Amino acid sequence: MVIRKLFKFEGAHIVRNCSSDRCKKSIHGHSYVVEVFLEAKTLDAGHMVYDFGLFKGTIKDVIDSFDHSYSMWKNEKSDYKDFIIKNSDRWVEMPVSPSAEGYSVMLLYIIDKILKNTVFNNGEDGDLTVSGVRVAETVTGWAEASKSDLYFMFGKNFDLEDIVFSEQVKAEWIDPEMWDKLIRGEKFINPTVKITH
């Protein structure tokens, strides 16, 4: 069974090396819609794939990191990156171009890591997985990444350490240390549920 959770953010970027001059030469923004698809073969004690309320923690914080932020590709010229870092509190440096495709595969990668580092306490069988992430930057255009895209598109070309969030972004998370914990492989503990019959 598959469930979908929708998120939104307002973000800015430049997509270097794309075909459109407007996109590759000018800062511009979009009203993004992010859809996260989770899949499981079994249901938890509440007969859910995953409680929608649990999305309000780490996964929401990661996606919200891009709201009113500037997303920049790690291969930007250093003087431009320095300018952004100096003049903007909220920014994210990405190991992939901040295209809809780049966002979708990177968010899928991050959410996959989060789920693999989460201790579930409501009867989940361990088969819960992120099956896809869809990112729409306009009402008419979106990209969707599935698990096979992680290897096909990027292989082992990036790790969590290659994604950098500004200090202001991290300060606004529920747990400002969340990213460092994820990199270290520390476990996130979901609430323990008292099962009633």
Side-chain angles (χ1 to χ4, degrees):
M1 182 172 285
V2 175
I3 62 169
R4 178 197 76 146
K5 180 67 174 170
L6 186 142
F7 302 88
K8 296 180 178 181
F9 70 88
E10 307 292 329
H13 65 175
I14 294 177
V15 183
R16 302 292 187 197
N17 303 326
C18 71
S19 299
S20 167
D21 280 345
R22 286 185 178 183
C23 290
K24 70 183 173 188
K25 294 181 178 177
S26 299
I27 295 173
H28 61 285
H30 298 282
S31 295
Y32 290 90
V33 176
V34 177
E35 297 171 86
V36 177
F37 299 89
L38 298 187
E39 183 175 5
K41 295 183 179 84
T42 59
L43 301 178
D44 68 13
H47 297 163
M48 300 172 152
V49 169
Y50 194 63
D51 190 320
F52 286 120
L54 295 173
F55 279 98
K56 295 177 183 174
T58 308
I59 292 172
K60 180 183 181 293
D61 276 350
V62 166
I63 296 170
D64 188 61
S65 300
F66 298 92
D67 187 53
H68 289 77
S69 293
Y70 183 78
S71 298
M72 63 183 156
W73 186 29
K74 73 174 184 176
N75 291 341
E76 278 286 355
K77 294 179 182 174
S78 59
D79 59 337
Y80 182 74
K81 284 201 293 190
D82 292 342
F83 174 82
I84 294 294
I85 290 168
K86 181 179 177 183
N87 291 286
S88 180
D89 285 345
R90 292 182 58 83
W91 52 266
V92 181
E93 183 176 330
M94 300 170 52
V96 294
S97 178
S99 61
E101 293 86 347
Y103 281 123
S104 63
V105 76
M106 188 184 72
L107 288 171
L108 184 127
Y109 174 77
I110 294 169
I111 294 166
D112 181 61
K113 294 288 188 184
I114 290 170
L115 292 176
K116 287 179 178 174
N117 283 288
T118 298
V119 176
F120 302 107
N121 287 306
N122 195 21
E124 295 89 351
D125 247 356
D127 66 349
L128 179 69
T129 185
V130 56
S131 59
V133 173
R134 180 181 295 160
V135 175
E137 58 180 35
T138 67
V139 294
T140 60
W142 52 265
E144 184 171 345
S146 64
K147 289 290 258 291
S148 62
D149 296 321
L150 288 176
Y151 181 76
F152 173 72
M153 293 176 69
F154 300 103
K156 296 192 179 288
N157 290 338
F158 68 87
D159 292 306
L160 292 172
E161 294 90 347
D162 297 322
I163 305 164
V164 182
F165 297 95
S166 72
E167 291 304 315
Q168 182 60 41
V169 166
K170 293 191 284 188
E172 295 177 21
W173 292 339
I174 294 168
D175 178 1
E177 299 295 318
M178 175 263 295
W179 195 248
D180 294 327
K181 290 177 180 177
L182 187 60
I183 288 173
R184 291 192 300 263
E186 292 183 27
K187 295 295 184 186
F188 301 107
I189 312 295
N190 278 358
T192 300
V193 178
K194 183 178 179 183
I195 306 297
T196 60
H197 299 277

